[in-house]
Amino acid sequence: MKQLYKEFKFQSAFLLVLSLVFISFSCMQKRDASKSPPGYDLSKPQKFVMPASLTEISGHTFYKGDPSVVYAQEDESGKVYFFKPGDKNISSTQFAGPGDYEDIAICREQVIMLRSDGVLFILPLAQVKAGKVTSVKTIGNILPKGEYEGMYADESTATIYIITKNSKADKKMNITAGYKFNLLAGNNVKPAGEFSISNEEVATLSGEKKKKKARFMPSALAKNPLTNEWYILSSINKMIVVTDNNFKVKDIYPLTRSQFPQPEGIAFDRQGNLYISNEGGNGSGTLLKYVYNK
């Protein structure tokens, strides 16, 4: 009888452990599963591995949505890189000294660089292509004190959008603030309004329990040319937040760490294909392309 009891206890314990393993594995699968925005499959990218010079790629863009050339920067050397996706030969042009450069945009034949402290550097695209920049307009003191990583420029309206990554004021109001500027002649900029995203809306859709303390820290943003929706990338949260044209949150798409180790840049080409760049960290930087399918 004792022997039967011991065997019963052993079998029960074994089944319990097996059940816990199965539940744990199921939860892991659920956490790792990723839904995708309509028209895209985030699990099936075309992957471009960056050379050593772009291991720390922190942003990228296109000239009028032309996908034949990618313009990018990394967050250290003060260079603009430009290359054909998949090409091993990458050109670069120095525009400034070392600094924490976080995003790049092109508007009205000008390249706009964003430094993490909110300072803008505006320089002619033609000079970048020629390999020698001789005129750079540096613009500071136009943004509240904070940390900035995301920028987008609308070619049709000459409007620059800059989103805050981190600031005390945002944390107090539980929002993520953004600022608009018009690009004027002479590479001057003029304030054109503000926008904000509700951190509580992001927290609710992402399942964050402590909604009032949601940590939404955007690393990049871009407008989908096919839907006019905003795609806002957050490296720390590992997600894409999609909003309508007025920045009302519509949905959230989680990103897997295996595929997105450090997503820092986002852009669309004129066909609506989506591109996300990842800093390499201990590996190589990558550029992931997601083809749009109706």
Side-chain angles (χ1 to χ4, degrees):
M1 183 65 72
K2 288 184 178 180
Q3 183 63 27
L4 288 172
Y5 179 70
K6 288 181 179 180
E7 289 179 0
F8 175 77
K9 285 182 66 179
F10 176 80
Q11 290 176 355
S12 299
F14 177 77
L15 289 172
L16 177 61
V17 171
L18 192 63
S19 298
L20 290 174
V21 169
F22 177 78
I23 292 171
S24 177
F25 180 72
S26 298
C27 290
M28 288 176 64
Q29 282 188 316
K30 187 175 181 180
R31 283 196 299 268
D32 290 341
S34 175
K35 62 180 182 178
S36 298
Y40 304 95
D41 186 346
L42 295 180
S43 68
K44 297 179 180 179
Q46 181 180 0
K47 183 177 180 180
F48 302 102
V49 177
M50 298 293 97
S53 58
L54 279 176
T55 297
E56 299 301 312
I57 182 172
S58 55
H60 64 277
T61 192
F62 301 104
Y63 172 63
K64 295 183 178 180
D66 180 1
S68 64
V69 178
V70 178
Y71 293 86
Q73 98 292 335
E74 35 79 27
D75 58 5
E76 294 178 357
S77 66
K79 293 180 179 180
V80 178
Y81 296 82
F82 47 104
F83 56 94
K84 180 180 179 180
D87 197 337
K88 294 182 180 180
N89 298 316
I90 291 185
S91 301
S92 66
T93 301
Q94 193 85 38
F95 71 91
D100 189 11
Y101 303 100
E102 293 293 348
D103 215 346
I104 179 173
I106 299 176
C107 185
R108 304 294 171 92
E109 306 301 320
Q110 304 299 314
V111 176
I112 307 165
M113 306 294 296
L114 171 67
R115 203 166 65 189
S116 62
D117 58 359
V119 174
L120 298 182
F121 299 80
I122 305 177
L123 47 142
L125 176 60
Q127 292 183 8
V128 171
K129 291 180 177 179
K132 186 176 182 179
V133 174
T134 58
S135 56
V136 179
K137 185 73 172 283
T138 303
I139 302 176
N141 300 316
I142 60 172
L143 292 163
K145 186 176 181 180
E147 185 178 1
Y148 301 88
E149 290 193 359
M151 176 178 63
Y152 172 82
D154 189 320
E155 177 72 22
S156 63
T157 62
T159 303
I160 303 167
Y161 296 78
I162 301 175
I163 195 167
T164 311
K165 179 183 179 181
N166 190 26
S167 79
K168 292 182 178 179
D170 283 9
K171 187 175 182 181
K172 186 177 294 185
M173 294 186 291
N174 200 27
I175 63 167
T176 295
Y179 305 89
K180 297 187 286 185
F181 299 90
N182 289 332
L183 179 62
L184 307 177
N187 288 343
N188 293 309
V189 297
K190 177 183 178 182
E194 300 179 8
F195 61 92
S196 66
I197 297 171
S198 167
N199 288 353
E200 187 171 356
E201 289 180 5
V202 173
T204 300
L205 287 172
S206 65
E208 172 63 50
K209 293 180 180 179
K210 297 180 180 179
K211 297 182 179 63
K212 292 184 178 180
K213 297 182 180 180
R215 194 185 183 199
F216 178 47
M217 303 178 74
S219 51
L221 81 163
K223 180 178 274 191
N224 187 323
L226 305 180
T227 65
N228 283 327
E229 294 172 319
W230 288 99
Y231 279 51
I232 301 156
L233 184 67
S234 177
S235 181
I236 288 178
N237 303 87
K238 291 292 185 293
M239 66 171 67
I240 296 174
V241 175
V242 176
T243 77
D244 64 16
N245 189 42
N246 296 314
F247 294 96
K248 173 72 175 177
V249 179
K250 295 179 67 175
D251 210 342
I252 289 176
Y253 301 90
L255 303 175
T256 58
R257 290 184 178 275
S258 59
Q259 189 167 289
F260 302 93
Q262 193 171 338
E264 295 287 345
I266 189 168
F268 291 90
D269 65 24
R270 57 190 172 209
Q271 283 82 37
N273 300 315
L274 171 64
Y275 300 74
I276 296 176
S277 53
N278 287 276
E279 290 190 13
N282 296 324
S284 299
T286 60
L287 180 66
L288 306 179
K289 176 182 179 180
Y290 300 92
V291 177
Y292 175 74
N293 293 300
K294 293 183 180 179

